[in-house]
Amino acid sequence: VSRNDFDRFVARALTSYPGIQALESAPVVRAETRTEFEAAVKAEGYGRFQITERESRGGLVPAKVRATYVPVTYLQPWEGNELAFGYDLMSDDSRREALETARDTGGVAASGRIRLVQENRDRFGFLVFLPLYRGQRVSGSVADRREQIQGYLLGVFRVSEVVEESLETLDYDIDFVLT
């Protein structure tokens, strides 16, 4: 899909569900095609694009060499989420675990509580991943799904906004704990 097709595809969901921080698409990029992939995104008009990861102090740096990357390549809305552009979802244990679960099961998987790349305060979120495979049908075997994985669609949610939205219509004075 093109960037414009992706933007049109997610527009309705973003306006209908205000608890969504972002909707994103992230392809699987093999180490041997990383340079070519980054050049292709730069050629689309994103001259500073690179696959990134967090360093120990929290800043973003070029991703270390590894066999595969899953960089955020399409995202909406852009404003407020720019730092996620190019972030390698495989570079973080919680995200990687959810990616691998989604890939191996062929179903939706959610991360645990994480600090979002675009977040600069002590607010947390979670990600929900949907795996995308090459071809029309995906075999029932985990080995075949691992071979055929092409990328992921993902939803990015801030915990506080999801909870606030779900309680918005309640007219009660209640205290609650989310675990």
Side-chain angles (χ1 to χ4, degrees), residues 1-4 37-47 73-74 85:
V1 272
S2 72
R3 204 169 287 281
N4 287 337
F37 174 79
E38 288 177 331
V41 176
K42 287 177 183 178
E44 290 181 35
Y46 300 95
T73 305
Y74 295 171
F85 187 51

Side-chain angles (χ1 to χ4, degrees), residues 20-47:
I20 299 173
Q21 169 65 25
L23 293 173
E24 304 173 346
S25 177
V28 173
V29 176
R30 310 266 180 240
E32 58 272 13
T33 62
R34 175 182 177 169
T35 302
E36 179 183 315
F37 174 79
E38 288 177 331
V41 176
K42 287 177 183 178
E44 290 181 35
Y46 300 95

Side-chain angles (χ1 to χ4, degrees), residues 24 28 44-45 50 52 67 73-74 107 122 149 153-154 166 170 172:
E24 304 173 346
V28 173
E44 290 181 35
Q50 62 182 333
T52 61
T73 305
Y74 295 171
D122 282 335
I149 189 72
L153 289 177
L154 60 141
S166 66
L170 293 179
Y172 301 104

Side-chain angles (χ1 to χ4, degrees), residues 65-141:
V65 175
R66 57 182 142 268
T68 58
Y69 306 90
V70 180
V72 174
T73 305
Y74 295 171
L75 69 145
Q76 279 299 326
W78 178 262
E79 189 173 320
N81 294 304
E82 304 93 331
L83 289 176
F85 187 51
Y87 180 75
D88 178 22
L89 299 163
M90 292 294 282
S91 67
D92 172 79
D93 291 341
S94 182
R95 290 169 173 88
R96 183 175 53 256
E97 182 179 318
L99 286 167
E100 291 171 348
T101 299
R103 177 199 65 202
D104 291 352
T105 64
V108 174
S111 71
R113 182 184 86 156
I114 58 170
R115 176 172 294 226
L116 300 175
V117 175
Q118 57 270 52
E119 189 61 67
N120 57 7
R121 298 184 301 184
D122 282 335
R123 293 174 56 192
F124 297 95
F126 63 95
L127 307 176
V128 178
F129 297 99
L130 174 69
L132 304 172
Y133 300 95
R134 286 187 293 280
Q136 298 275 326
R137 292 178 56 104
V138 177
S139 162
S141 89

Side-chain angles (χ1 to χ4, degrees), residues 52-64 66 87 91-92 115:
T52 61
E53 65 184 35
R54 279 198 189 272
E55 47 100 16
S56 61
R57 293 176 300 202
L60 294 173
V61 297
K64 296 175 184 160
R66 57 182 142 268
Y87 180 75
S91 67
D92 172 79
R115 176 172 294 226

